Amino acid sequence: MADAAGTPVHVYSRAVLRTRVRALDAAFASYPHDLHYAIKANATLAVVREMRAEGAHADANSGGEIDVALRAGYAPDQIVFTGVGKTHDELVRAVTLGLKAINAESPGEMERIDAIARAHGTRARVAVRVNPDVDAGSHPHISTGLRGNKFGMTPAQAHQMVTSMAARAHLHVVGLHVHVGSQITSAEPLRRGAEAIAGLATALAAEGISLEHLDVGGGLGIAYEPGQIVLTEAEYAAAVLPVVRPTGLRLVLEPGRWIAAPAGVLLTRVVDLKAQADGRWFVIVDAGMTELLRPALYGAWHGIEAVSPRAGAPIACDVVGPVCETSDTLGKARHLPPVDVGDLLAVRDTGAYGAIMASNYNRRPMAAEVLVDGAAWRVVRRRQTIDDMLQWDE
Ligand code: LLP
């Protein structure tokens, strides 16, 4: 496959994608809920279509992701739309499409949604994003629920907004939204996030304001490193459901990474080997921060394995890419079986926030993406050509 498709190539397993979304859905089976797959994790159409085929709905974070959802076959009322800087055009699109919920991030945005809905003679469905001031305990770049983060409104502000917007003819406040961060590996932040909106919903109900749903966002982490302690999907449900259940409101979840990350590997070929002064090796491969930004951006750890391990004593090495930055390191201080130029390596758990965060830095064409289905496979996103890359240049 790597011979035919070329490297670097992102490879996804249809079976793993489907098994994961089903498992998460099953964990919440005892309570009315909708899984809205977070398209940002992997927006390749073939992947989003698999999610839809499994009955998941969609969470979009931009106008572009709304288009991905629509092209994957979703109806507008299956899409929730989040985003801290929605433009006027994006809001007009969201309002006129009639999305299931626009997750509003600020009082100003709620006013703008109201004005757009009025101008278009419609009623916009809005959920209010609450910033619960909860520490997700993950990397600071992907923690979103602290008071100092740019996301959402304080619970007090959200309360005041919902009450003051309740009587507006063109605004229908249908829910509350929270998302405290990503790659969360313990129950407490997820529980506290849910608690913040469940508590607010209860207070609003006492004032006669009833909602349709509580959207607890995404964030469930996976074990990138062997032995890393994470929450199971059952533990996640056990953290969230007891908090949400007393409200009686439908639960919305926006999982991305947990479903998609373990379904993907990045296949890359060794292009050079170079001895380091301390006796270790640089294993230089044809993928780098342009195909997988996570190690460079967050210091993230991804497993790296030889696809056909050679016999012999393991070598100590840094696995590095071809890009002109020292941050272009896929794996630092690793041990691999002896490798040679031309060997294939697999970088693990790259199905989420892998291909979608790719760039053309160093004018590197974006990698192909392949979906494996049992013994069969097909290219679901072809490799960019130099002409593709340069087509917008004058
Ligand atoms: N909902 C909202 C509003 C979000 O902002 C996110 C992720 C999700 C759902 C999905 O979260 P998940 O279940 O995937 O954790 N690029 C980073 C991750 C950024 C996550 C941004 N928001 C990474 O590679 O780790």
Side-chain angles (χ1 to χ4, degrees):
M1 196 268 297
D3 282 337
T7 57
V9 58
H10 286 279
V11 183
Y12 311 124
S13 159
R14 183 169 187 242
V16 175
L17 281 170
R18 291 196 165 221
T19 310
R20 302 281 291 183
V21 71
R22 250 178 251 166
L24 198 54
D25 198 43
F28 286 88
S30 70
Y31 191 79
H33 69 278
D34 296 302
L35 291 188
H36 283 250
Y37 166 66
I39 290 177
K40 62 170 68 77
N42 186 321
T44 301
L45 274 174
V47 170
V48 182
R49 287 193 190 112
E50 292 297 332
M51 296 295 128
R52 180 165 171 268
E54 282 297 331
H57 294 177
D59 161 38
N61 203 70
S62 68
E65 286 187 357
I66 291 174
D67 278 303
V68 168
L70 295 173
R71 286 192 201 193
Y74 282 108
D77 66 1
Q78 297 175 314
I79 303 170
V80 296
F81 178 32
T82 314
V84 81
K86 304 182 199 76
T87 64
H88 177 76
D89 289 354
E90 284 176 324
L91 287 176
V92 168
R93 186 96 196 290
V95 168
T96 53
L97 276 169
L99 300 187
K100 169 165 165 171
I102 304 173
N103 293 332
E105 300 258 1
S106 74
E109 185 173 81
M110 288 189 75
E111 294 289 353
R112 288 192 291 277
I113 296 168
D114 185 26
I116 290 168
R118 197 177 325 122
H120 285 84
T122 184
R123 194 158 185 235
R125 295 171 54 85
V126 170
V128 177
R129 179 162 183 178
V130 174
N131 181 325
D133 195 23
V134 165
D135 185 356
S138 65
H139 193 281
H141 290 190
I142 55 173
S143 296
T144 50
L146 282 171
R147 196 181 303 128
N149 297 148
K150 65 184 174 182
F151 301 96
M153 310 177 217
T154 64
Q157 217 174 16
H159 191 156
Q160 198 262 324
M161 277 321 283
V162 177
T163 342
S164 72
M165 295 277 162
R168 306 247 183 142
H170 297 281
L171 216 53
H172 185 191
V173 182
V174 294
L176 299 173
H177 177 234
V178 74
H179 171 81
V180 296
S182 196
Q183 184 53 17
I184 298 171
T185 54
S186 64
E188 194 54 10
L190 294 161
R191 192 186 60 74
R192 286 186 55 204
E195 221 166 48
I197 55 173
L200 181 49
T202 306
L204 289 166
E207 295 168 31
I209 299 172
S210 57
L211 305 169
E212 292 177 13
H213 71 246
L214 292 180
D215 181 342
V216 295
L220 184 58
I222 64 151
Y224 284 98
E225 299 197 42
Q228 190 179 349
I229 310 279
V230 292
L231 284 185
T232 63
E233 65 274 34
E235 289 166 338
Y236 178 39
V240 168
L241 286 180
V243 174
V244 171
R245 205 180 285 279
T247 67
L249 296 173
R250 197 170 178 86
L251 173 64
V252 169
L253 301 130
E254 302 173 347
R257 181 193 319 268
W258 194 89
I259 295 170
V265 294
L266 172 61
L267 290 184
T268 180
R269 263 188 215 286
V270 177
V271 293
D272 196 11
L273 291 164
K274 187 157 67 172
Q276 303 192 37
D278 61 4
R280 298 180 316 120
W281 289 89
F282 282 121
V283 174
I284 305 167
V285 295
D286 66 1
M289 64 193 292
T290 39
E291 288 69 39
L292 182 66
L293 184 60
R294 304 194 69 257
L297 192 56
Y298 317 113
W301 195 98
H302 285 261
I304 304 178
E305 291 168 26
V307 171
S308 308
R310 294 170 185 274
I315 58 161
C317 60
D318 296 331
V319 180
V320 300
V323 173
C324 58
E325 296 206 13
T326 300
S327 62
D328 185 35
T329 298
L330 292 178
K332 187 104 186 130
R334 300 301 178 90
H335 287 90
L336 286 177
V339 288
D340 212 342
V341 170
D343 284 5
L344 266 184
L345 303 183
V347 186
R348 286 208 167 267
D349 300 313
T350 53
Y353 308 112
I356 193 62
M357 292 176 75
S359 81
N360 284 137
Y361 188 36
N362 281 198
R363 273 296 187 242
R364 289 168 51 79
M366 288 190 195
E369 295 170 51
V370 159
L371 187 66
V372 174
D373 185 11
W377 63 273
R378 67 192 165 94
V379 173
V380 290
R381 196 165 200 258
R382 69 167 169 80
R383 186 176 306 284
Q384 248 186 3
T385 63
I386 300 290
D387 286 337
D388 290 335
M389 245 187 340
L390 296 180
Q391 66 181 323
W392 300 298
D393 286 39
E394 292 290 320

